[in-house]
Amino acid sequence: MCRIGAIKSKEYVHPSVALRLMRSQQKGHDNSGFAMIMQDLGGVFEGYKGLPILSMACTDEGIKVAEDILHRKGFVRLFQWAPQVFPKPGLKIEPMPNYVFQVYQYPKLYNYAPQEEKEELLVDMRLAIRHELENHDLGYVYSFWPDILTLKEIGDPSDIGEYFNLWEENDYFKAKIITAQCRQNTNYDIVRYAAHPFFLQGYTALANGENTFYEKNKNLQKKLYKGYIGFESDSQCFLYTLHYVHKKLKWPLIYYKHTITPIPFEELSQREDGHILANIRASLAHLEINGPNTIIGVLPDGTLFTCCDSKKLRPVVVGRDENTVVITSEVTGINDILPNRDWQDDIYPGEREMVVINDELEVVRWQQ
């Protein structure tokens, strides 16, 4: 079992807050890893919004391979930042030689390209880098997207925080949205790509639980889009379905819930939108999921949401104050970072519910 969490705030938040959120839920995971995605970045990256940031963990040769691929395409590096690390005996961590966060200028040929063309270019570049890194065992590329930074590591989350000095808050490394997961994937081989959160074209997803429809999801998804690759974790399917429904089909977010956990056939005939939902169920049956699991997702515009499978066998709670909303597995995590909130406002979503938080931190509860 793992623990997941998301913080969305009006103010920039340091990763130490995400570590505190997850530390108090330590009994719910196995201390085998920590991963996070930071979105809407502040600190040293605040001046580069709109430009893609490359997030990698790799060897020295891996850096050169990635840079060569990007330079040949016409990308120009504008800024790079590497976290200072603090190795010491006893830390339970399996570090990579380099952690790379580089900001790039788009190729001149794309100065006036449509946004969708730029977005496809970024996916192509990430896939090309991943292909070369994998072929030569040179490391991992997690994201190449504007205003997004990704870090994934194997080991004890507390020790990972200590290794990267993430426990000590500063103004250089902050974001308004942070999603995090503790525990590496232990259902399959332990690889960094299998660690949640997963990211594709502005969409982020992470989950607590299992997807027993993994094979069914995977067999369809790998035919739908070039970016649906890897499948090192069954939970990657949650991201790919979110991306497909919202980005490719351009459906409203509520249809994500209708796709993954459709309502029973006997209820469809009693609803005004029953014919729409019946068509969704007929055409996308292979994207349904089977729990138990809880999903947290983030859209490109910063919308944050959570929903559960139809059995609701994994915990999730939403807590908030005037500046911050937190979604996580156990309320003890929210108690740690929002101790002065009104706990009576806490939300425990049901199996038919989706809780959505917009950029003004307005919380909407939508019933399926």
Side-chain angles (χ1 to χ4, degrees):
M1 193 178 293
C2 69
R3 287 294 179 261
I4 56 177
I7 303 167
K8 181 175 174 63
S9 178
K10 295 178 180 177
E11 301 168 351
Y12 288 114
V13 175
H14 187 263
S16 59
V17 181
L19 280 169
R20 285 169 45 208
L21 173 69
M22 307 311 292
R23 179 178 58 185
S24 53
Q25 304 176 63
Q26 190 173 14
K27 290 183 179 179
H29 59 81
D30 61 4
N31 282 331
S32 58
F34 175 77
M36 67 174 179
I37 290 180
M38 301 171 66
Q39 181 173 341
D40 195 351
L41 300 169
V44 296
F45 293 99
E46 188 172 6
Y48 299 100
K49 292 183 181 293
L51 299 177
I53 301 172
L54 180 68
S55 295
M56 297 174 57
C58 60
T59 64
D60 292 346
E61 189 178 352
I63 297 176
K64 185 177 184 310
V65 166
E67 291 180 341
D68 286 347
I69 290 173
L70 294 173
H71 292 162
R72 282 198 297 271
K73 192 65 180 180
F75 283 92
V76 177
R77 191 179 69 206
L78 296 182
F79 174 73
Q80 64 176 344
W81 180 79
Q84 187 177 2
V85 296
F86 299 86
K88 66 179 184 181
L91 292 183
K92 183 185 175 186
I93 179 174
E94 300 177 21
M96 293 292 294
N98 301 289
Y99 296 88
V100 178
F101 305 104
Q102 297 179 339
V103 181
Y104 280 86
Q105 181 77 51
Y106 283 99
K108 290 182 179 178
L109 284 175
Y110 287 80
N111 280 350
Y112 302 102
Q115 182 62 24
E116 192 162 333
E117 193 173 331
K118 287 183 177 179
E119 293 178 356
E120 292 306 309
L121 172 67
L122 297 183
V123 173
D124 290 339
M125 292 297 97
R126 182 177 59 81
L127 295 181
I129 293 170
R130 173 169 173 159
H131 178 75
E132 288 302 309
L133 295 181
E134 281 185 337
N135 278 352
H136 305 285
D137 195 21
L138 299 177
Y140 308 87
V141 55
Y142 301 124
S143 57
F144 185 44
W145 198 259
D147 222 10
I148 292 289
L149 188 147
T150 306
L151 177 68
K152 299 187 178 189
E153 198 44 83
I154 298 170
D156 185 305
S158 294
D159 290 350
I160 292 170
E162 192 168 343
Y163 183 80
F164 291 105
N165 197 32
L166 294 179
W167 288 108
E168 186 174 333
E169 188 164 354
N170 60 58
D171 291 329
Y172 305 114
F173 194 44
K174 291 188 170 183
K176 291 187 176 178
I177 302 172
I178 301 178
T179 52
Q181 187 226 20
C182 284
R183 177 186 184 252
Q184 259 286 344
N185 181 12
T186 49
N187 293 337
Y188 308 95
D189 293 337
I190 292 181
V191 295
R192 286 168 174 80
Y193 282 133
H196 316 201
F198 304 108
F199 178 83
L200 177 63
Q201 285 195 318
Y203 293 83
T204 299
L206 57 166
N208 173 20
E210 299 177 21
N211 177 16
T212 52
F213 283 174
Y214 165 64
E215 289 294 338
K216 187 170 75 169
N217 291 171
K218 181 179 74 172
N219 289 336
L220 175 62
Q221 288 173 339
K222 64 185 181 183
K223 303 172 186 174
L224 295 177
Y225 180 61
K226 62 189 175 187
Y228 302 162
I229 65 167
F231 296 97
E232 291 88 358
S233 164
D234 53 50
S235 298
Q236 281 174 288
C237 299
F238 304 143
L239 171 69
Y240 296 155
T241 296
L242 173 64
H243 179 270
Y244 185 69
V245 169
H246 196 260
K247 171 78 172 177
K248 292 299 181 184
L249 299 181
K250 304 186 187 307
W251 290 354
L253 180 61
I254 60 171
Y255 288 114
Y256 175 61
K257 176 65 171 164
H258 279 306
T259 299
I260 59 175
T261 61
I263 60 177
F265 283 112
E266 54 268 25
E267 293 185 28
L268 293 180
S269 60
Q270 303 171 25
R271 295 177 55 128
E272 289 186 4
D273 60 350
H275 63 292
I276 297 174
L277 302 185
N279 286 335
I280 291 174
R281 184 154 195 183
S283 59
L284 299 180
H286 280 68
L287 297 183
E288 294 177 17
I289 65 171
N290 192 24
N293 49 59
T294 290
I295 302 167
I296 298 175
V298 186
L299 305 185
D301 66 358
T303 297
L304 176 67
F305 73 91
T306 186
C307 59
C308 305
D309 74 286
S310 56
K311 299 185 180 69
K312 184 61 176 67
L313 292 176
R314 286 289 185 269
V316 67
V317 56
V318 183
R320 52 187 155 156
D321 64 14
E322 64 275 14
N323 290 318
T324 304
V325 175
V326 178
I327 303 174
T328 195
S329 302
E330 297 182 37
V331 72
T332 181
I334 303 178
N335 293 343
D336 200 345
I337 66 173
L338 296 180
N340 298 321
R341 78 190 188 286
D342 185 348
W343 62 269
Q344 295 185 82
D345 290 336
D346 289 355
I347 299 170
Y348 293 84
E351 68 274 13
R352 290 284 187 92
E353 188 172 17
M354 178 180 279
V355 178
V356 182
I357 298 96
N358 66 18
D359 245 10
E360 286 70 45
L361 300 189
E362 295 169 335
V363 178
V364 176
R365 303 181 69 173
W366 172 78
Q367 296 294 331
Q368 190 174 18

